[in-house]
Amino acid sequence: MQRPDTWLYPTPSGLFCAPGNFYIDPPRPTDRAVITHGHSDHARAGHGRVLATAETVAIMQVRYGAECAGAFHAVAYGETLNLGGVTVRLVPAGHILGSAQIVLEWGGARVVVSGDYKRAEDPTCRPYELVACDVFVTEATFALPVFRHGPVAEQIAKLIASMARFPTRTHLIGAYGLGKSQRVIKLVRQVGYDRPVYLHGAHAALTQLYQSLGQDFGDVRLVSEAAAADLAGALVMCPPSALGDRWSRRFGDAVTGFASGWMRVRGRARQSGIELPLVISDHADWPELIDTIVATGAEDIWVTHGRDDALVHHLGCLGRRARALALVGRDDEAD
Amino acid sequence: MHSFAMLLDALSTHQGRTDKIELMCAYFRSTPDPERGWALAALTDGLPLRVPFRRVLTNLMSTRIDPVLYKLSRDYVGDTAETVALLWPEPTSGQSRVAVPSLAHIVATLADADAKRIEPLLADLLDRCDATERWALLKFIGGALRVGVSARLAKTALAMLGGCDVGEIEEVWHAIGAPYIDLFAWLEKAGPRPETTGVAVFRPLMLATPIEDQDWPNLQADAFAAEWKWDGIRVQIAATPREVRIFSRTGEDISPAFPEIAHAFGGRDVTTDGELLVMRDGVVAPFNDLQQRLNRKTVSAKLMQAHPAHVRLYDLLLRDGEDLRSRPFDQRRKRLEDWHAEAPPARTDLSEMIPFDSFDQLRTLHLDARAASIEGLMLKRRASPYLAGRPKGHWFKWKRTALTLDCVLMYAQRGAGKRSSLYSDYTFGVWRTGTVGERELVPVGKAYSGFTDVELKQLDAFIRSNTMASFGPVRQVQPALVLEVAFDAVQKSSRHKSGIAMRFPRIHRIRWDKPAAEADTLEGIEALL
Ligand SMILES: [Zn+2]
Ligand SMILES: [Zn+2]
């Protein structure tokens, strides 16, 4: 078996697969990019050719324009391709709509680049599928044992209860505009909340895309088109940055919430003046990370963005070879 | 304790005062005895439980988690109790969950437990809780809730529950104890008012209103008595033959911080109103000296000697079981003088009455009063009874005109609650000459008030378009805006970089017109010391 780090390695332009001559989630424009999912720290504009799931291609075109790459190659989950002798397959990652793990096989070794992933149920995307491999490339956004996200149903119940307790106050919920916002809307619909849900303009286009791809969100409207009276007591979804913005003042004495895995730690909520922290994450929590990594059977684990120190230490204690992979251009995602 | 955990969770994130009151009131209404009573004890800092758990928690965690992971987690979370609450192993799924312990059970389990038994007992309690409950449990037994609720606010929620005035709660408060079954019964009209005979209870204070220019024409000089307004803190001393308590203006029992005063009133049967001061050789020390003695649970002999407490008395509310509050001020004053002349308690004197014939005469005195420890004058209507709260037209405070300085806005921070989208907390500074001769700004104070809503929006807009740097919630602003800051006094302070501290600073005017370079200097402030 050819050691995988001889043919798949980080470069200043991103994680590079040498025999296939392509990059995975490169932060800079490249000739050929394989994209795990549509979040902006993974999917950028300006590549020559982009290979991704059809949903990810659609998301990139909504965000950056139809011409944001020279050419798009939409691939179905499970479809097998051959890129310069490297077998490439996209497998659901359970992170957001269209998110995929990239399964690479070459020289007798199998590597899974998981992008971002979670194991918890999400009605807006295909669930994670486990692929056994030799090398597993994992994210580490919530890689501290204090992060255990818990059942999402409890958090939705908390939101519904708050709307009942403060029936005249707008509930202004900050959520990442791709994936999280749509998931929250879907989850409140699933528990029977049937009043209109209002959107900040920044969430409109992506939510429409989800709808056009078959998601039913019920009655969804734009804040900009609503009468002030309709917003009293209403549920409003907005980008987290809008919570402390001038935009938020129109709602008067709103209850401000934030749907994010970070809300597990009280200090994070208090720091940002959040009244209704909702622990809802699109990333794996600590137990999910450990369980998933162990279940892949991988002997080598490469840890990308997030907190690598705790994860590398703990995997070492479990007898795995783990190391941090310094990739440029990745930040903490707002979710 | 599940509902208590939910309450603390909501209190910790909701900033608004009304929200907090409503949350507590709803909790008291829907939670049975004695659970709600123990919660009330925790909220009012009256829980007879102090588990020294920092070491206990470290020991408990050492057998449950890898020390490296613990340290990384603790560093990230920043709070031991919360770290433990988050890290504690969840009951394995399938294993049916044992009932969540009640607050009464927690108190009963830990109150008399042998120190060696605390660890396994606490572990058992933690095993029975989910993450939020574990966090609440550790707050509950640790003593300090830190969820932005004062004892006074909790009592306000009780008043809402009982449909009464918070003063009525305060009057019985020190006669009752956890878990407050009789209190809740009374508030819910299911029992009598708790008995207060023989107990040193707090009587809500009578407060003054600031005198306004339009008040003067309606006032007759001969209907009023005048006294100096001293720069200390208002205290009520309630003595019964059984006990002596010193209460702050809000009814908080501060006796443990001032044992020499409590001792001086030992064995007496009176309730008096007065000003707590630090006094040396008959001279009132600056407020800063008194500050050293506030907010303490105990006090050393050394501190008592260096900062001797004194009470300047100005009213007598009760004597030997007789309630004098309905009598006019003149009569109460006479009774106060008689009582004090009979056997004056050590460390007390009477607030001097200032004779005057006309308000003009008083005005001259007022202008001349420049002693740092005098804040201004009090005018008290001679015929007024002692009324709880801030009744209009009876007592007036006539503060010295505030001093003002032109300062430069340096930093801004977002406010809480309704103001959370606005930069409403300001740090301002004045110029000084730096070490190499350059002119630099040095912060001299913070203000959160004194502006209108319209001005607040203007300030917010200015800050957003003049930000130089952001540090978390704080923005550093271009030194370009002059704020005219009013304050009551300025004192030396080793705790501030500038070496001075302002008392009660507030924004007096926004000087959009004035160039920042023309703001005041530190030397100018030092001249006011
Ligand atoms: Zn992502
Ligand atoms: Zn990511």
Side-chain angles (χ1 to χ4, degrees):
Chain A
M1 176 177 104
Q2 179 117 19
R3 278 185 49 178
D5 58 358
T6 61
W7 56 271
L8 180 69
Y9 43 82
T11 72
S13 295
L15 185 62
F16 184 56
C17 176
N21 191 29
F22 61 84
Y23 292 85
I24 298 175
D25 292 350
R28 298 197 191 142
T30 56
D31 285 347
R32 187 144 68 156
V34 178
I35 306 293
T36 60
H37 68 287
H39 279 148
S40 57
D41 58 333
H42 296 259
R44 314 256 168 146
H47 301 302
R49 278 187 294 164
V50 162
L51 191 147
T53 62
E55 293 88 345
T56 299
V57 169
I59 289 165
M60 289 176 74
Q61 288 178 326
V62 165
R63 296 190 113 174
Y64 307 123
E67 309 293 318
C68 70
F72 288 99
H73 182 177
V75 190
Y77 287 125
E79 191 181 328
T80 304
L81 305 168
N82 187 312
L83 299 178
V86 182
T87 307
V88 179
R89 190 155 55 99
L90 270 55
V91 172
H95 175 54
I96 59 164
L97 180 68
S99 67
Q101 309 176 73
I102 317 296
V103 182
L104 308 170
E105 286 171 42
W106 196 76
R110 183 189 287 162
V111 180
V112 172
V113 181
S114 58
D116 292 333
Y117 63 98
K118 72 168 175 291
R119 308 298 300 269
E121 201 206 306
D122 181 344
T124 65
C125 69
R126 289 265 298 266
Y128 181 91
E129 281 174 29
L130 189 78
V131 179
C133 55
D134 302 301
V135 175
F136 187 67
V137 184
T138 182
E139 59 143 323
T141 308
F142 292 109
L144 267 182
V146 291
F147 290 110
R148 285 186 298 215
H149 300 324
V152 82
E154 280 177 17
Q155 304 298 315
I156 294 299
K158 187 173 167 183
L159 170 60
I160 301 285
S162 176
M163 288 194 283
R165 176 176 290 149
F166 302 109
T168 59
R169 294 170 66 188
T170 306
H171 279 62
L172 194 57
I173 308 301
Y176 202 60
L178 170 56
K180 187 65 61 64
S181 177
Q182 294 79 17
R183 186 177 172 206
V184 170
I185 300 172
K186 192 77 189 176
L187 288 167
V188 296
R189 293 302 187 216
Q190 285 185 338
V191 297
Y193 181 78
D194 57 6
R195 294 174 49 196
V197 174
Y198 293 87
L199 297 182
H200 183 282
H203 284 190
L206 285 165
T207 303
Q208 269 162 23
L209 175 68
Y210 270 62
Q211 287 169 318
S212 72
L213 292 174
Q215 282 287 348
D216 179 9
F217 294 128
D219 188 352
V220 173
R221 308 178 188 184
L222 284 177
V223 168
S224 55
E225 290 164 9
D230 296 335
L231 295 170
L235 175 60
V236 176
M237 304 300 301
C238 69
S241 60
L243 290 174
D245 211 12
R246 270 179 251 209
W247 175 83
S248 69
R249 285 183 210 154
R250 72 188 69 196
F251 306 102
D253 185 21
V255 173
T256 55
F258 186 15
S260 160
W262 300 115
M263 295 297 102
R264 166 93 171 163
V265 174
R266 248 157 249 283
R268 289 289 285 245
R270 212 171 314 129
Q271 226 172 43
S272 34
I274 300 296
E275 288 179 311
L276 188 67
L278 301 170
V279 187
I280 302 176
S281 173
D282 284 339
H283 292 269
D285 64 4
W286 176 260
E288 288 175 22
L289 287 170
I290 306 300
D291 291 351
T292 305
I293 292 166
V294 169
T296 62
E299 291 287 326
D300 283 278
I301 295 95
W302 301 350
V303 182
T304 64
H305 54 321
R307 296 195 55 110
D308 51 55
D309 45 5
L311 191 57
V312 168
H313 167 82
H314 187 63
L315 291 170
C317 296
L318 296 176
R320 317 266 153 170
R321 285 190 299 268
R323 67 185 172 98
L325 200 64
L327 288 180
V328 287
R330 292 283 163 68
D331 356 288
D332 266 15
E333 271 170 28
D335 59 347
Chain B
M1 70 165 303
H2 178 74
S3 50
F4 176 69
M6 294 293 103
L7 172 69
L8 277 201
D9 188 39
L11 288 174
S12 77
T13 54
H14 282 265
Q15 309 290 334
R17 190 176 175 275
T18 16
D19 281 6
K20 288 184 194 266
I21 293 171
E22 268 170 36
L23 286 164
M24 285 188 280
C25 184
Y27 170 82
F28 292 138
R29 186 169 289 132
S30 60
T31 310
D33 290 321
E35 182 83 355
R36 57 181 173 178
W38 291 115
L40 176 60
L43 288 164
T44 53
D45 207 17
L47 202 65
L49 203 63
R50 287 285 185 279
V51 180
F53 67 14
R54 217 152 281 278
R55 190 177 36 80
V56 171
L57 289 183
T58 316
N59 287 348
L60 283 173
M61 291 320 285
S62 67
T63 58
R64 283 172 176 80
I65 186 170
D66 174 304
V68 175
L69 293 181
Y70 177 75
K71 184 173 184 315
L72 288 169
S73 299
R74 168 70 184 73
D75 289 350
Y76 178 80
V77 175
D79 175 79
T80 303
E82 188 180 354
T83 309
V84 172
L86 293 175
L87 286 178
W88 195 263
E90 297 289 348
T92 32
S93 56
Q95 179 185 328
S96 72
R97 211 175 136 192
V98 192
V100 180
S102 67
L103 296 179
H105 175 78
I106 296 165
V107 173
T109 306
L110 297 176
D112 308 311
D114 187 79
K116 287 191 215 73
R117 296 272 304 136
I118 296 276
E119 260 180 57
L121 289 171
L122 184 54
D124 174 62
L125 291 171
L126 287 165
D127 279 340
R128 294 161 62 183
C129 295
D130 70 17
T132 309
E133 291 158 2
R134 290 192 294 265
W135 168 77
L137 166 67
L138 294 175
K139 290 220 152 226
F140 181 72
I141 64 177
L145 295 182
R146 295 209 193 89
V147 290
V149 171
S150 63
R152 167 89 181 176
L153 201 65
K155 290 173 200 164
T156 309
L158 291 173
M160 189 185 209
L161 176 74
C164 62
D165 190 84
V166 64
E168 293 181 55
I169 311 277
E170 281 168 338
E171 287 219 12
V172 300
W173 186 253
H174 295 278
I176 53 181
Y180 302 105
I181 310 258
D182 48 350
L183 171 72
F184 283 110
W186 172 52
L187 291 175
E188 291 179 335
K189 321 271 182 295
R193 182 176 187 274
E195 185 56 56
T196 57
T197 323
V199 185
V201 295
F202 176 70
R203 315 285 169 169
L205 295 181
M206 178 163 180
L207 303 171
T209 51
I211 196 153
E212 310 283 355
D213 288 344
Q214 65 267 25
D215 290 327
W216 291 113
N218 307 319
L219 306 182
Q220 268 82 46
D222 57 1
F224 282 87
E227 297 170 54
W228 295 118
K229 181 166 171 28
W230 297 94
D231 191 12
I233 67 160
R234 184 88 179 269
V235 287
Q236 178 176 99
I237 299 168
T240 70
R242 216 160 79 188
E243 59 181 355
V244 179
R245 284 180 199 268
I246 304 162
F247 296 112
S248 73
R249 214 183 73 164
T250 53
E252 194 194 338
D253 184 354
I254 57 167
S255 321
F258 298 96
E260 73 266 57
I261 302 294
H263 180 77
F265 279 79
R268 294 162 190 267
D269 193 358
V270 286
T271 299
T272 65
D273 190 355
E275 197 80 4
L276 182 64
L277 305 162
V278 162
M279 200 151 98
R280 298 189 189 93
D281 303 325
V283 179
V284 177
F287 186 79
N288 217 16
D289 285 43
L290 178 60
Q291 198 116 43
Q292 312 295 320
R293 296 223 25 198
L294 299 176
N295 304 319
R296 290 174 180 275
K297 298 248 186 266
T298 57
V299 56
S300 68
K302 201 175 142 206
L303 190 64
M304 281 199 279
Q305 202 170 22
H307 296 77
H310 180 95
V311 181
R312 188 149 279 173
L313 298 166
Y314 35 66
D315 218 320
L316 187 64
L317 281 60
L318 286 93
R319 185 184 175 180
D320 301 325
E322 186 188 357
D323 192 340
L324 305 172
R325 286 180 290 176
S326 57
R327 311 276 182 103
F329 173 79
D330 268 350
Q331 283 186 30
R332 295 198 312 277
R333 173 74 197 192
K334 175 80 172 61
R335 297 284 296 264
L336 175 70
E337 287 170 5
D338 293 348
W339 164 76
H340 199 260
E342 279 168 32
R347 302 175 183 283
T348 64
D349 61 7
L350 296 187
S351 167
E352 177 194 353
M353 303 297 289
I354 305 168
F356 66 98
D357 297 320
S358 69
F359 286 133
D360 279 339
Q361 190 188 353
L362 207 52
R363 193 164 286 122
T364 316
L365 285 170
H366 188 243
L367 287 173
D368 288 348
R370 272 291 167 201
S373 46
I374 292 178
E375 271 193 305
L377 279 170
M378 291 293 301
L379 294 179
K380 295 180 179 174
R381 194 180 283 279
R382 293 178 181 279
S384 295
Y386 193 95
L387 301 164
R390 207 183 289 279
K392 288 228 157 59
H394 298 275
W395 286 11
F396 292 98
K397 53 185 169 194
W398 185 11
K399 287 207 179 184
R400 283 202 316 230
T401 323
L403 304 159
T404 64
L405 280 172
D406 288 339
C407 303
V408 181
L409 177 63
M410 296 177 71
Y411 303 95
Q413 193 170 349
R414 284 194 188 136
K418 274 183 200 177
R419 282 180 169 185
S420 60
S421 75
L422 296 158
Y423 285 88
S424 61
D425 300 1
Y426 311 114
T427 301
F428 43 81
V430 294
W431 298 105
R432 74 166 171 196
T433 307
T435 39
V436 290
E438 80 289 8
R439 245 161 90 82
E440 61 173 16
L441 281 171
V442 56
V444 290
K446 277 184 187 220
Y448 322 89
S449 62
F451 36 80
T452 64
D453 284 353
V454 174
E455 286 174 325
L456 174 57
K457 290 205 174 137
Q458 292 168 339
L459 285 165
D460 181 75
F462 174 86
I463 288 152
R464 287 173 194 271
S465 47
N466 288 278
T467 299
M468 288 161 67
S470 297
F471 318 96
V474 179
R475 287 195 184 206
Q476 183 180 14
V477 185
Q478 292 280 0
L481 182 62
V482 175
L483 301 173
E484 187 177 326
V485 176
F487 54 96
D488 287 4
V490 62
Q491 289 157 359
K492 279 205 173 83
S493 163
S494 53
R495 277 185 294 177
H496 296 77
K497 190 177 160 195
S498 60
I500 58 127
M502 283 181 173
R503 189 141 153 73
F504 296 135
R506 61 257 176 204
I507 310 290
H508 189 57
R509 257 192 308 171
I510 307 167
R511 297 292 305 268
W512 301 103
D513 56 313
K514 188 160 182 166
E518 292 175 19
D520 279 301
T521 61
L522 193 59
E523 294 77 35
I525 301 187
E526 282 162 352
L528 298 170
L529 285 171

